[in-house]
Amino acid sequence: MKILMVTSEAAPFAKAGGLGDAVSALSRALERAGHDVRIVMPRYYGVDKAKLRSLEGPLGVPVGQGEEWAQVYVGELPASSVPVYFVEHERFFGRDGIYGDRAEPDFSDNPERFGFFSRAAFQLCRKLGWIPEVLHAHDWPSSLVPVYLRHLERRTEFASCASVLSIHNLGYQGLYSKRSFPYFGLPWELFHGAGFEFFDKINLLKAGLSNADCLTTVSPTYAREIQTPEFGFGLDGLLRFRSEDLVGILNGVDLDDWNPETDALLPATYSAADLAGKAVCKAALQREFGLPVDPAKPLVGMVSRLADQKGVGELFGPMYGSAYDICSTMDLQFVLIGSGEKWCENEVRSLSARLPNFRAIVGYDERIAHLIEAGADFFMMPSRYEPCGLNQMYSLRYGTLPIVHRTGGLADTVENYNQETGAGTGFMFDRLTPRSIFDTTGWAVWAWYNRGNHIRVMRARAMSRSFSWDHSAREYHKLYDRALLAARGSLGSGSRSRASLEE
Ligand code: ADP
Ligand code: GLC
């Protein structure tokens, strides 16, 4: 099958979080399964052109009343032969930051930047003479792809092409002033008619969810949760309406990047059969963060965006967060790398200064993230909501037992400890509060000091859990087939709504 991933992130070229990991890993897995997969993404400032080949001639992209011109570069996704096309446009992407920067966390011209980019994906296919069967869009930045397919490309060479939109995080919807709408080159009646309208603003994700042939999200539990008001961020009604076309497919772990047996970023590698290397990593991690090197001390690690989604309020909120109590009353060490909201960066710096057993690095660093996954005994991930979550899966693979809120992908990947039998792969709580994080961490530390045999067995069990992208890729393939049937008018509400639009 010919599949084009239209995405704002793909690791290692550009990554703000798990989306970048997921798109690249899924593309590799689909290629292994024999599909012709290609990726198109913007050429951000940080993507080094010197390593890329330039496509001949400019790319003309219709926008609003006029046209923009772009240059296209081609590279290859590492550990694969998946072609990656980079759309270059100086005014839109010749700056630091994917979605924003320190001064402006959400660029005000994002609707124009990503509207242009989504339209460019179609023009690129034309230029290549390569028309995919499936256009696979991800999150709000490429949500215009399903809209363009349905409303502008219905009778073109894309007529029998299907669109799939994956929700990696419903908390980010691409909400902008409707002043930008004319730039999309769509008639005003589609502001309502194609589902853009959200409290008189443009909601890019909502438009994408209204028009894609099939929808996915990144875990089965999250697929159910987003259909409820609590997790639906105002779109639960639409998602219930489209529930027959929505499936949850769990992300996997990309073993090229995250494998304790081969990880080149670690001071020592290890496997479930021989954990000596894990002890070396633990000592290196303690040294890296300036903590006493002590194999007997339980070491809790955390790698996270410092954003409300990740439960950082309950953990680090000044006055009410539980991290201070955890570190001052329990015999453990706690290390963190993260960046994000200013208040939280300040708070973890201040905790580092006040507590002898808590150390934080404010920043973003792949090597340290790998060292924490490998060297820690427990992994803290109390997310308020979690579409899938990759870090807890990496932790399991690295024999680092997760402490998690039972929600979304965390509920689908971690099995709770049973202190009678020793079953489980981690420690879970049902309701996110500072107290529940405190209690559950206390439970893990209790098991560490009093049930060492359970910890050893859980670790081996965690490491044996396979989160295979090949399995997920097969699920996506089935879904692509369904989307094609819907697009070609033989199944499902996709075809019904298309038919009604055409009448
Ligand atoms: P999300 O995408 O919501 O941030 P995920 O768990 O799916 O959460 O993915 C997060 C990804 O970003 C992981 O690959 C993780 O290692 C990485 N990451 C997050 N924060 C940092 C950081 N400060 N330094 C290095 N890597 C980080
Ligand atoms: C988002 C989600 C995260 C998920 C990732 C990749 O960033 O927050 O849970 O793992 O996308 O799908």
Side-chain angles (χ1 to χ4, degrees):
M1 199 178 266
K2 295 204 278 287
I3 303 147
L4 181 66
M5 299 286 172
V6 188
T7 180
S8 55
E9 296 181 34
F13 303 109
K15 161 174 163 180
L19 169 64
D21 288 340
V23 170
S24 295
L26 172 60
S27 302
R28 286 191 190 107
L30 287 165
E31 183 186 62
R32 282 197 295 276
H35 301 293
D36 178 0
V37 194
R38 308 187 187 190
I39 296 174
V40 59
M41 63 188 288
R43 209 285 289 179
Y44 302 106
Y45 223 40
V47 177
D48 183 6
K49 270 203 295 203
K51 298 187 185 125
L52 308 174
R53 188 164 59 76
S54 161
L55 271 198
E56 204 157 310
L59 186 73
V61 181
V63 292
Q65 300 304 314
E67 194 169 22
E68 297 277 358
W69 292 90
Q71 190 63 46
V72 180
Y73 291 83
V74 203
E76 206 164 78
L77 185 66
S80 80
S81 43
V82 172
V84 185
Y85 300 97
F86 296 90
V87 176
E88 180 176 71
H89 186 285
E90 184 56 31
R91 184 158 53 85
F92 287 151
F93 302 115
R95 59 179 96 161
D96 286 328
I98 299 179
Y99 311 111
D101 58 19
R102 285 261 154 195
E104 193 188 4
D106 187 10
F107 292 133
S108 60
D109 59 350
N110 273 343
E112 287 81 10
R113 295 171 79 227
F114 290 105
F116 155 79
F117 167 66
S118 301
R119 197 75 197 272
F122 292 89
Q123 298 303 88
L124 170 71
C125 296
R126 290 198 167 91
K127 187 177 173 75
L128 296 171
W130 179 86
I131 304 298
E133 285 147 289
V134 175
L135 285 160
H136 190 160
H138 299 268
D139 278 350
W140 68 265
S142 48
S143 275
L144 276 165
V145 167
V147 182
Y148 286 141
L149 179 63
R150 178 165 289 174
H151 295 284
L152 294 181
E153 304 282 0
R154 279 304 288 143
R155 299 182 204 287
T156 67
E157 54 271 68
F158 290 92
S160 57
C161 175
S163 65
V164 170
L165 175 60
S166 290
I167 305 167
H168 295 263
N169 195 334
L170 198 62
Y172 302 85
Q173 302 182 353
L175 271 182
Y176 298 99
S177 154
K178 65 182 179 189
R179 275 197 307 274
S180 298
F181 189 76
Y183 190 80
F184 301 153
L186 297 166
W188 264 112
E189 60 264 26
L190 288 181
F191 179 61
H192 286 92
F196 284 94
E197 194 277 337
F198 192 72
F199 299 100
D200 209 35
K201 292 186 132 190
I202 291 171
N203 184 324
L204 291 172
L205 186 65
K206 177 168 173 266
L209 296 174
S210 307
N211 289 281
D213 292 301
C214 282
L215 310 176
T216 81
T217 187
V218 286
S219 70
T221 295
Y222 194 61
R224 286 191 299 276
E225 286 173 343
I226 55 179
Q227 299 181 49
T228 66
E230 190 188 348
F231 292 95
F233 286 100
L235 297 183
D236 47 298
L238 171 60
L239 290 163
R240 283 195 299 279
F241 177 71
R242 295 227 52 195
S243 85
E244 271 181 44
D245 304 315
L246 167 66
V247 299
I249 303 175
L250 204 59
N251 288 331
V253 171
D254 192 328
L255 294 178
D256 290 317
D257 292 332
W258 294 95
N259 184 349
E261 297 179 29
T262 55
D263 193 330
L265 295 173
L266 298 181
T269 55
Y270 59 94
S271 66
D274 179 4
L275 287 168
K278 188 164 171 72
V280 174
C281 294
K282 178 168 177 178
L285 179 58
Q286 289 167 322
R287 266 195 301 276
E288 180 88 36
F289 279 82
L291 290 166
V293 173
D294 181 353
K297 211 56 41 150
L299 176 52
V300 178
M302 181 165 179
V303 179
S304 185
R305 286 186 292 118
L306 302 179
D308 180 65
Q309 175 198 345
K310 301 296 178 181
V312 296
E314 283 72 5
L315 202 49
F316 300 119
M319 312 305 289
Y320 67 98
S322 53
Y324 184 85
D325 288 343
I326 288 172
C327 293
S328 54
T329 60
M330 296 181 201
D331 196 8
L332 52 62
Q333 295 172 331
F334 194 139
V335 295
L336 156 80
I337 183 161
S339 58
E341 288 170 22
K342 271 268 153 312
W343 73 262
C344 193
E345 294 187 348
N346 292 336
E347 189 59 27
V348 299
R349 281 199 192 99
S350 132
L351 284 177
S352 288
R354 282 185 287 151
L355 290 161
N357 55 346
F358 178 88
R359 289 287 175 273
I361 295 180
V362 172
Y364 191 97
D365 188 305
E366 293 278 340
R367 183 186 64 83
I368 292 177
H370 282 246
L371 187 60
I372 291 179
E373 292 291 3
D377 299 303
F378 300 103
F379 192 85
M380 179 65 76
M381 198 158 170
S383 311
R384 176 177 313 289
Y385 71 92
E386 196 58 79
C388 176
L390 296 170
N391 279 122
Q392 85 284 7
M393 292 196 278
Y394 301 155
S395 303
L396 291 166
R397 227 13 274 151
Y398 282 65
T400 303
L401 306 177
I403 298 171
V404 302
H405 178 200
R406 195 195 303 269
T407 185
L410 300 173
D412 292 338
T413 53
V414 180
E415 302 145 58
N416 200 14
Y417 175 48
N418 178 328
Q419 66 189 51
E420 308 301 323
T421 63
T425 58
F427 300 82
M428 307 176 88
F429 53 89
D430 287 305
R431 229 168 58 80
L432 173 62
T433 62
R435 181 82 218 184
S436 59
I437 302 176
F438 180 91
D439 289 345
T440 310
T441 308
W443 190 31
V445 169
W446 171 86
W448 173 268
Y449 285 115
N450 299 287
R451 295 289 183 274
N453 55 327
H454 284 175
I455 297 284
R456 273 188 297 280
V457 175
M458 285 170 84
R459 192 170 258 176
R461 188 180 295 126
M463 294 181 78
S464 76
R465 291 292 178 263
S466 90
F467 297 103
S468 141
W469 269 112
D470 293 320
H471 174 79
S472 308
R474 284 194 290 278
E475 298 296 307
Y476 277 102
H477 182 201
K478 279 188 224 157
L479 183 90
Y480 293 156
D481 277 334
R482 238 175 86 182
L484 277 169
L485 284 173
R488 292 170 185 174
S490 29
L491 180 94
S493 61
S495 60
R496 274 202 305 281
S497 40
R498 252 190 203 185
S500 64
L501 281 165
E502 300 208 332
E503 272 158 19

